Amino acid sequence: MGGLLPLLPLLLLLLAGAAAAATRPPFACAPGGPSTRLPFCRQALPPRARARDLVARLTRAEKVRLLVNNAAGVPRLGVEGYEWWSEALHGVSDTGPGVRFGGAFPGATAFPQVIGTAASFNASLWELIGRAVSDEGRAIYNGRQAGLTFWSPNVNIFRDPRWGRGQETPGEDPAVSGRYAAAYVRGLQQQHAGRLKTAACCKHFTAYDLDRWSGADRFHFNAIVTPQDLEDTFNAPFRACVVEGRAAAVMCSYNQVNGVPTCADQGFLRGTIRGKWKLDGYIVSDCDSVDVFYREQHYTRTREDAVAATLRAGLDLDCGPFLAQYTEAAVAQGKVKEADIDAAVVNTVTVQMRLGMFDGDVAAQPFGHLGPQHVCTPAHRELALEAACQSIVLLKNGGGNNMRLPLSSHHRRGTVAVVGPHSEATVAMIGNYAGKPCAYTTPLQGVGRYARATVHQAGCTDVACQGSGQPIDAAVDAARHADATVVVVGLDQSVEAEGLDRTTLLLPGRQAELVSAVARASKGPVILVLMSGGPVDIAFAQNDRNVAAILWAGYPGQAGGQAIADVIFGHHNPGGKLPVTWYPEDYLRKAPMTNMAMRADPARGYPGRTYRFYAGPTIHPFGHGLSYTKFAHTLAHAPAHLTVRRAAGHRTTAAINTTTASHLNDVRVAHAQCEGLSVSVHVDVKNVGSRDGAHTVFVYASPPIAAIHGAPVRQLVAFEKVHVAAGAVARVKMGVDVCGSLSIADQEGVRRIPIGEHRLMIGEELTHAVMLGVEQLAA
């Protein structure tokens, strides 16, 4: 779908769709239906009690058909079949079978891919996007073209820069990923009194971040992960997604972790997700995961053993037909109890109850008014543009105080060349797990709305840009005669995708040659725009004086071209920051994707991963991003001392640093009184430049020198986005949770609070020390 939809046909579709949505028949409990008077149709009862009543009325065969994503209906009770698999990673998507576009719903708003939205570091924006997607998802459900259970967000850690699905995630930092997860889930679900607008799902649990690389693939990979890395890295975003976001579902992954498939790991599913984190919802497999661990991983001897392993572990729903095909045989062989089936179905049906699917007339329910007129609204389109603008990261802007962007009025009055394989990008701008956008604005169209004249040459026949037939000379000629040149290059789903990890961090084919040739020839400033999910080694352009400025746009969504132009011409002052470390190509030699360790191992030449554990050279560090203005920080308030109260009956332990053989007192988080234990940090942010702008205040923490073995070099413990007018000062108030943010996971995965001096680093210029003491409470 290219260009804007004609307005008149769209209005007609909206009117027709509104009428269709209003007459959607109930999923169950229709007035006058066969079950209207039964307890499971009584809205006054608790959702779980209603679910138990329904499940008690089902035959075993009926229950088994509810264990899979395309759940069968129960006509005798007036219950429709239901497709659980819908997607809404960054907009309602037809990637899964639960969503169908067409008719009254030709598409949905396509927001930036998640890695870009994360670059905004704006938690309010994340929730607003979730709310917009929730409106559209409910509307399409009312029109019978979507489900209400959206298997999003993806909160896996972007551990390795080659990962093809890193684009779907909020980046490499557990704190950022966790906060994103909670915000997006709150927006999607909009819980009130236990009821849900839509049901979100945190995926893919856990240590899942390899698709296909150098002979290893996700269907066979056994991730060897230490308890320390599980606790403070891989599981941390999922904990936030469930505990703080109160997500209605968690999806287990394909891979094994330490020899056990995650979908058959009772410690993970029953122990951690449902036990420790108190999931109020269901656990679903990634699609065909159960079949994969039986057929591909040979984890169980028979299919019935696979059924038993996964139901005993705590799986409630199988994306795929496996449980529907083999569960009854597993019961007959005594490997599965009927109670195991009942427990799983009660968990899924309870979520349906909370969604109002058993509340009769859809139009009479709180969200029954939503229809086609609530999809692709002007407000949602504007939000998509705002999100794209906030996601753009300015990586380079001239040198020193010689800023080359924004382009001047002189360039607006002249001719701007727009070249590169992504200069007319449409589908490439939305990344994966995307739907059909309501509109596209290409980079060429965006620039054309500012410049008096544009000239366009692709420079490459496609993103691969391979072979001698590439039209590089035509692009060079266009740049030679233009007053400014915008070069739009990067990656797409042919390079990084689900099932496809990268083998290099360099630009594909001859793209770098195109950039350098255009930069040498252009008579005006050259602005390099990169579209990608993962990081790219662009050292050649970073060091090229002829490249005036560099922007990273991620995959910016349907309004990406407009956002890029808004930044280039100064309508929007960029404030995005990188949510991942950009490594040099040489990093790949030292860090095989199959090595899951986060911590560096200098003795073996292993460099470690992410800014928390890697201290080597970077192309750009985590958190990098420039602005058209300058900001200065002043610490207004932060305590110098804080006391950790240890519960009676627990003594301070001595944690041994095996590297230095020193000792440090610490307190187990489980033994501390954590409620209200927070370091209050107030920072005054002054805009010392001449332009209004948005700025993210980062607070990092470093533990005492002799802290627990494997402690991060530093870790992000708080961040807030603030808009500051030129010359003005804004105060940002943040709380650093001591038990959650200043604690360190030891080698057994136990969280401990080091007692001693913790250093807080605020921005690049402020450091503040906080001394943590300990007080033993009397019995």
Side-chain angles (χ1 to χ4, degrees):
M1 187 194 311
L4 295 174
L5 289 175
L7 291 180
L8 182 59
L10 179 58
L11 289 173
L12 293 174
L13 286 172
L14 296 181
L15 293 172
T23 58
R24 187 198 196 283
F27 175 78
C29 301
S35 303
T36 306
R37 299 183 182 278
L38 295 178
F40 70 80
C41 286
R42 297 177 190 167
Q43 297 181 40
L45 293 176
R48 187 162 289 273
R50 296 172 68 189
R52 288 195 183 104
D53 178 77
L54 172 62
V55 173
R57 298 174 187 278
L58 302 178
T59 67
R60 183 190 300 163
E62 288 170 335
K63 287 183 284 191
V64 166
R65 283 294 295 130
L66 298 181
L67 293 172
V68 291
N69 64 286
N70 57 337
V74 187
R76 66 184 179 85
L77 294 177
V79 179
E80 283 188 10
Y82 180 68
E83 176 55 70
W84 285 84
W85 181 3
S86 292
E87 300 280 358
L89 185 70
H90 52 113
V92 179
S93 166
D94 56 354
T95 303
V99 175
R100 303 180 311 282
F101 288 125
F105 300 96
T109 309
F111 295 92
Q113 179 61 289
V114 176
I115 193 67
T117 304
S120 72
F121 283 89
N122 186 343
S124 298
L125 175 68
W126 301 338
E127 185 166 343
L128 284 174
I129 293 173
R131 284 179 169 270
V133 174
S134 181
D135 277 352
E136 299 196 356
R138 259 287 175 172
I140 300 171
Y141 169 79
N142 290 345
R144 296 182 66 83
Q145 291 181 216
L148 288 175
T149 46
F150 292 101
W151 290 349
S152 304
N154 179 345
V155 295
N156 292 118
I157 292 296
F158 197 170
R159 171 189 64 101
D160 189 288
R162 291 161 287 200
W163 188 31
R165 300 189 73 174
Q167 61 183 287
E168 303 173 29
T169 77
E172 70 182 37
D173 182 76
V176 175
S177 297
R179 191 165 172 193
Y180 176 89
Y184 190 67
V185 167
R186 280 194 296 267
L188 276 182
Q189 296 192 155
Q190 295 176 48
Q191 288 202 58
H192 179 70
R195 298 302 180 105
L196 300 167
K197 184 176 179 183
T198 65
C201 175
C202 325
K203 64 184 185 185
H204 314 78
F205 190 83
T206 182
Y208 169 69
D209 52 14
L210 180 151
D211 271 56
R212 190 175 76 240
W213 177 83
S214 189
D217 69 71
R218 59 183 175 166
F219 303 123
H220 301 88
F221 183 54
N222 177 23
I224 304 302
V225 188
T226 67
Q228 192 173 35
D229 284 340
L230 274 176
E231 170 60 30
D232 77 355
T233 300
F234 296 110
N235 288 359
F238 290 93
R239 182 192 305 111
C241 198
V242 174
V243 176
E244 297 167 27
R246 297 165 63 201
V250 174
M251 176 183 287
C252 50
S253 54
Y254 290 114
N255 56 289
Q256 296 184 3
V257 173
N258 299 328
V260 182
T262 63
C263 293
D265 193 316
Q266 188 167 341
F268 280 161
L269 306 192
R270 290 196 190 277
T272 298
I273 297 172
R274 201 171 291 284
K276 293 179 182 177
W277 300 343
K278 308 299 181 188
L279 173 72
D280 184 11
Y282 69 98
I283 301 174
V284 61
S285 75
D286 204 342
C287 294
D288 295 317
S289 288
V290 182
D291 184 66
V292 164
F293 78 65
Y294 163 71
R295 191 184 309 275
E296 303 293 336
Q297 298 174 7
H298 307 293
Y299 182 72
T300 61
R301 186 177 59 85
T302 68
R303 295 177 176 87
E304 292 75 21
D305 289 333
V307 171
T310 201
L311 287 178
R312 282 199 302 265
L315 190 76
D316 302 308
L317 187 69
D318 177 21
C319 179
F322 198 91
L323 292 188
Q325 293 171 328
Y326 304 113
T327 297
E328 288 202 75
V331 174
Q333 295 175 21
K335 295 178 178 180
V336 169
K337 297 177 181 178
E338 188 118 8
D340 297 326
I341 302 171
D342 290 351
V345 178
V346 165
N347 285 333
T348 55
V349 173
T350 297
V351 170
Q352 291 179 314
M353 295 287 180
R354 294 171 64 199
L355 288 163
M357 294 172 66
F358 286 80
D359 291 350
D361 185 5
V362 172
Q365 294 182 37
F367 308 108
H369 67 288
L370 294 172
Q373 70 272 28
H374 297 97
V375 179
C376 289
T377 65
H380 290 176
R381 294 183 189 216
E382 184 61 32
L383 183 61
L385 173 59
E386 177 63 24
C389 286
Q390 290 197 32
S391 74
I392 291 174
V393 182
L394 179 60
L395 299 176
K396 174 185 176 180
N397 194 11
N401 294 320
N402 182 29
M403 294 197 308
R404 306 301 300 278
L405 287 182
L407 292 182
S408 67
S409 57
H410 161 73
H411 298 109
R412 291 194 189 203
R413 293 192 299 268
T415 298
V416 177
V418 185
V419 305
H422 279 323
S423 53
E424 289 191 291
T426 53
V427 174
M429 292 196 301
I430 59 178
N432 70 353
Y433 280 82
K436 293 178 172 59
C438 24
Y440 282 118
T441 303
T442 70
L444 178 60
Q445 290 170 332
V447 172
R449 293 175 182 177
Y450 283 97
R452 181 188 62 80
T454 58
V455 58
H456 171 249
Q457 290 291 338
C460 297
T461 55
D462 54 21
V463 166
C465 200
Q466 293 179 335
S468 59
Q470 301 303 315
I472 293 176
D473 289 344
V476 169
D477 189 60
R480 185 176 290 117
H481 297 94
D483 298 291
T485 301
V486 178
V487 191
V488 194
V489 300
L491 316 179
D492 66 7
Q493 302 308 301
S494 69
V495 180
E496 54 176 357
E498 183 171 5
L500 179 62
D501 298 324
R502 288 190 283 164
T503 58
T504 178
L505 300 182
L506 302 178
L507 286 170
R510 299 175 64 188
Q511 285 192 34
E513 179 186 342
L514 168 68
V515 173
S516 297
V518 165
R520 285 193 302 270
S522 179
K523 72 173 185 179
V526 172
I527 295 89
L528 174 61
V529 179
L530 295 162
M531 285 191 196
S532 71
V536 182
D537 183 342
I538 51 164
F540 79 96
Q542 196 69 32
N543 298 325
D544 188 339
R545 292 184 179 181
N546 295 317
V547 176
I550 305 175
L551 300 174
W552 177 66
Y555 293 125
Q558 66 180 45
Q562 184 63 54
I564 290 166
D566 283 354
V567 169
I568 289 174
F569 288 93
H571 183 73
H572 179 87
N573 185 355
K577 306 287 186 180
L578 290 179
V580 290
T581 301
W582 282 36
Y583 302 91
E585 175 77 1
D586 183 62
Y587 175 84
L588 304 186
R589 289 190 305 102
K590 307 167 187 175
M593 278 195 80
T594 47
N595 189 330
M596 298 296 293
M598 298 300 298
R599 274 85 179 159
D601 185 352
R604 299 189 178 186
Y606 181 67
R609 298 186 181 276
T610 78
Y611 80 93
R612 294 163 66 227
F613 305 106
Y614 170 72
T618 64
I619 301 300
H620 289 296
F622 173 91
H624 174 70
L626 307 175
S627 170
Y628 295 156
T629 189
K630 298 288 185 182
F631 299 94
H633 303 104
T634 303
L635 184 62
H637 167 77
H641 301 275
L642 207 64
T643 299
V644 178
R645 291 180 172 84
R646 188 178 56 248
H650 299 291
R651 296 192 307 167
T652 305
T653 60
I656 300 175
N657 183 317
T658 56
T659 302
T660 64
S662 62
H663 295 258
L664 177 72
N665 287 336
D666 63 59
V667 177
R668 278 197 183 204
V669 167
H671 299 163
Q673 286 197 346
C674 292
E675 187 174 354
L677 187 58
S678 177
V679 179
S680 180
V681 179
H682 298 179
V683 179
D684 286 338
V685 180
K686 183 174 184 179
N687 185 339
V688 297
S690 60
R691 297 176 60 97
D692 297 353
H695 177 64
T696 300
V697 180
F698 291 118
V699 180
Y700 295 92
S702 288
I705 294 175
I708 294 161
H709 180 58
V713 176
R714 63 180 180 134
Q715 60 185 4
L716 188 64
V717 294
F719 64 91
E720 288 296 335
K721 190 76 168 277
V722 61
H723 189 275
V724 190
V729 178
R731 178 160 294 184
V732 179
K733 299 180 180 179
M734 295 168 284
V736 178
D737 176 44
V738 172
C739 290
S741 298
L742 297 186
S743 64
I744 306 294
D746 68 15
Q747 290 175 292
E748 285 71 46
V750 176
R751 282 203 168 267
R752 301 177 181 275
I753 306 168
I755 302 304
E757 185 179 272
H758 292 251
R759 289 185 303 117
L760 301 182
M761 291 146 288
I762 303 157
E764 297 178 357
E765 68 270 30
L766 287 179
T767 300
H768 176 73
V770 179
M771 180 65 70
L772 292 186
V774 61
E775 177 186 343
Q776 176 72 53
L777 296 179

